[in-house]
Amino acid sequence: LMKTCEQARKDGYEWLWIDTRCIDKRSSAELSEAINSMYRWYQDAKVCYTYLNNVEESTFPTERINETYDMSDGRPEWFMRGWTLQELIAPKQIEFFNRDWAPIGNKRHLAPVLKTITGIPCEVLRDGLTGKRLCVAQIMSWAADQKTTRVEDWAYSLMGLFEVNMPMVYGEGKKAFQRLQLEIIRTSSSDHTIFAWGS
């Protein structure tokens, strides 16, 4: 937290919002509002800092390193999180830092490496989803290997990517994904690729 504040001050910013600390999860209303608004908040941010606590080098490993990242499929843990997709796509500018807060680089320059790791096209990484005519199946494919602590968050973390909103119902389990699919179908009824996936 202190290093994030130091970096923001160094870059000339007066205000800072930290997603892991600035949401009162005891309030279901605040949590629901935050999750439904988060993609837009990332989109509107001047810069997002991504702190990679288990990356020691000042570069991203492009190959899977199972010995180092055995708990996250050979990749730095951040890349396997469900929430990472919106954190990676929505902001116009992202600065990446390793565990010692040494800069790794920014999203625009690292787009080819990020594409190798995530499968997300460089133009989406550089410019976001606005104005892109991507099918539902393509966006879903980026989320195929993502993991979340709670089952419901896998669906909730994708809402911003599909520009849908829905209430949070923790405890509903896999029904969250069914509700997400129904919302996607309702808002993009001409895109039938949502049905193009296996079990």
Side-chain angles (χ1 to χ4, degrees), residues 20-21 27 50 70 124 133 143 152 192 195 197:
T20 57
R21 294 291 180 260
S27 164
T50 299
D70 60 330
V124 172
R133 295 185 54 87
E152 299 87 350
H192 296 130
F195 302 111
W197 55 282

Side-chain angles (χ1 to χ4, degrees), residues 118-133:
T118 65
I120 302 170
C122 287
E123 60 271 18
V124 172
L125 290 165
R126 290 190 185 112
D127 305 320
L129 291 169
T130 308
K132 306 283 185 300
R133 295 185 54 87

Side-chain angles (χ1 to χ4, degrees), residues 91-196:
K92 295 172 193 73
Q93 184 178 348
I94 301 176
E95 298 289 337
F96 293 94
F97 297 89
N98 73 5
R99 67 185 294 172
D100 299 318
W101 279 90
I104 294 172
N106 65 53
K107 178 171 83 161
R108 294 190 75 77
H109 292 110
L110 292 169
V113 176
L114 294 169
K115 177 183 185 269
T116 301
I117 295 171
T118 65
I120 302 170
C122 287
E123 60 271 18
V124 172
L125 290 165
R126 290 190 185 112
D127 305 320
L129 291 169
T130 308
K132 306 283 185 300
R133 295 185 54 87
L134 299 171
C135 68
V136 172
Q138 185 175 7
I139 296 171
M140 283 287 187
S141 73
W142 305 335
D145 295 325
Q146 304 301 103
K147 308 274 189 294
T148 56
T149 306
R150 299 185 70 163
V151 175
E152 299 87 350
D153 282 337
W154 197 82
Y156 300 159
S157 67
L158 299 175
M159 293 189 315
L161 297 172
F162 292 106
E163 298 182 65
V164 301
N165 294 91
M166 58 188 210
M168 310 296 98
V169 186
Y170 282 102
E172 68 178 324
K174 293 181 180 179
K175 289 180 182 173
F177 186 65
Q178 293 169 351
R179 286 197 303 123
L180 175 68
Q181 288 176 299
L182 290 172
E183 283 300 308
I184 294 168
I185 290 167
R186 192 178 63 76
T187 58
S188 58
S189 56
S190 61
D191 185 347
H192 296 130
T193 65
I194 192 168
F195 302 111

Side-chain angles (χ1 to χ4, degrees), residues 48-115:
C48 287
Y49 301 136
T50 299
Y51 172 65
L52 303 169
N53 68 321
N54 64 344
V55 174
E56 295 180 11
E57 304 79 22
S58 56
T59 58
F60 288 138
T62 52
E63 302 295 322
R64 292 181 193 275
I65 307 173
N66 293 320
E67 312 81 61
T68 307
Y69 308 111
D70 60 330
M71 300 297 285
S72 51
D73 201 28
R75 300 277 190 209
E77 186 179 303
W78 184 77
F79 289 105
M80 303 308 293
R81 293 169 56 250
W83 298 100
T84 291
L85 290 179
Q86 68 175 359
E87 294 168 7
L88 188 55
I89 293 170
K92 295 172 193 73
Q93 184 178 348
I94 301 176
E95 298 289 337
F96 293 94
F97 297 89
N98 73 5
R99 67 185 294 172
D100 299 318
W101 279 90
I104 294 172
N106 65 53
K107 178 171 83 161
R108 294 190 75 77
H109 292 110
L110 292 169
V113 176
L114 294 169
K115 177 183 185 269

Side-chain angles (χ1 to χ4, degrees), residues 37-52:
S37 306
M38 206 172 293
Y39 189 88
R40 189 179 74 252
W41 292 347
Y42 286 126
Q43 221 169 17
D44 293 343
K46 293 288 183 190
V47 65
C48 287
Y49 301 136
T50 299
Y51 172 65
L52 303 169

